[in-house]
Amino acid sequence: MQDVILVEKLDAEAELDRLAEYYRSAGGPGVKLLNSLGGSAESLLDQLPTSIRQGLTGATEQALWFAMRAAEGSRRAVPDQRPWVNTTLTTAMGAAGGLGGVSTALMELPATTAMLLRAIQGAAAREGFDPSEEGVKFDCIQVLSAAGPMSSDDGADLGFYSVRLTLTGPAMQRLIAAVAPRLSVVLGQKLAAQSIPVLGALAGGGTNYVYTRYYQQIARVHFGLRRLAIDADIPHDDLVRKLVARM
């Protein structure tokens, strides 16, 4: 019996090491590309017109609701794709959105958000979770609350992994309202990078590539922790603390 417990603990530690590597590599070399295209996060946001900056949170909240409906509907018709397929599709969408500058980038924003959510749902499914379940839907939106790849918080966002509200309609509304301001900063950076017509196509493709890769990696960490808590019978909060210690 003791041998079984020892193996289980060793497996859990190895899995935590693997998940920590996913988290560290979430940004990857693409972040340097993104910075070279547009500079720091703050300077990117400053490039946006005031009216767009002021309306970003509301636009992001609408994009999240659209993404939920679109992702759920598309799952019935289109199976989950491999991560590289998701990244390729969103990169192409970002490039197309950046061709006309901010105006076309704004039109592309809800579709990209829906694709990001589908990619996150795919990561959940690979860990054995059903994306149609209310609790998993809730977790998928939570993943979008992680700071974007240009953040330098060094793992502080791992705290959101242990947050769970009562799964009701109003709770989902509160969650989206809470996530929208944070995600709006990430999407604002993306819009600003796409703000120059034609050149914005390169920036749009680059940002979508980086962001899709980032959120897919973060989703692997999020749902990997959920799965490990079940399989190894270790409290989820304990696993989060162990993962934070590795960061």
Side-chain angles (χ1 to χ4, degrees):
M1 181 66 177
Q2 288 181 335
D3 291 340
V4 172
I5 294 175
L6 179 60
V7 170
E8 184 178 81
K9 287 184 177 179
L10 289 174
D11 287 345
E13 294 299 318
E15 179 66 7
L16 283 168
D17 288 339
R18 185 177 71 92
L19 294 176
E21 282 303 310
Y22 283 145
Y23 193 90
R24 291 190 191 98
S25 67
V31 175
K32 294 181 179 179
L33 169 63
L34 185 58
N35 281 322
S36 68
L37 289 171
S40 68
E42 291 76 14
S43 66
L44 276 173
L45 290 173
D46 288 342
Q47 293 173 24
L48 287 173
T50 302
S51 59
I52 292 179
R53 288 203 306 271
Q54 292 175 343
L56 262 178
T57 299
T60 301
E61 191 166 339
Q62 290 179 3
L64 278 171
W65 283 114
F66 169 84
M68 282 189 61
R69 292 190 295 269
E72 186 171 353
S74 66
R75 289 190 62 81
R76 292 192 287 267
V78 182
D80 290 318
Q81 303 297 315
R82 293 183 179 275
W84 71 266
V85 175
N86 294 327
T87 304
T88 301
L89 288 173
T90 54
T91 299
M93 289 166 60
L99 281 173
V102 173
S103 59
T104 55
L106 280 169
M107 294 172 61
E108 170 250 333
L109 192 63
T112 289
T113 306
M115 277 298 302
L116 290 176
L117 190 55
R118 269 303 306 265
I120 292 168
Q121 290 175 341
R126 282 189 290 276
E127 292 295 335
F129 295 95
D130 182 358
S132 66
E133 292 182 359
E134 290 302 313
V136 180
K137 289 180 185 179
F138 200 83
D139 275 15
C140 288
I141 296 294
Q142 273 191 303
V143 170
L144 287 173
S145 73
M150 295 180 73
S151 170
S152 58
D153 74 7
D154 295 327
D157 281 308
L158 289 173
F160 83 86
Y161 290 134
S162 61
V163 176
R164 183 72 75 93
L165 302 175
T166 303
L167 299 180
T168 64
M172 182 61 81
Q173 291 177 347
R174 291 198 300 272
L175 179 65
I176 287 182
V179 169
R182 193 180 185 102
L183 184 60
S184 70
V185 175
V186 175
L187 298 181
Q189 296 163 9
K190 167 183 148 55
L191 284 175
Q194 294 174 279
S195 61
I196 304 173
V198 183
L199 288 179
L202 173 62
T207 53
N208 276 21
Y209 171 85
V210 172
Y211 286 3
T212 305
R213 184 181 182 278
Y214 174 83
Y215 284 113
Q216 287 183 125
Q217 295 285 75
I218 292 297
R220 293 179 79 170
V221 176
H222 185 97
F223 291 104
L225 282 175
R226 295 284 188 211
R227 173 52 54 195
L228 183 59
I230 295 169
D231 291 346
D233 194 23
I234 298 174
H236 184 265
D237 288 351
D238 289 351
L239 291 175
V240 171
R241 283 192 289 271
K242 287 176 176 289
L243 186 59
V244 170
R246 283 167 165 77
M247 303 312 300

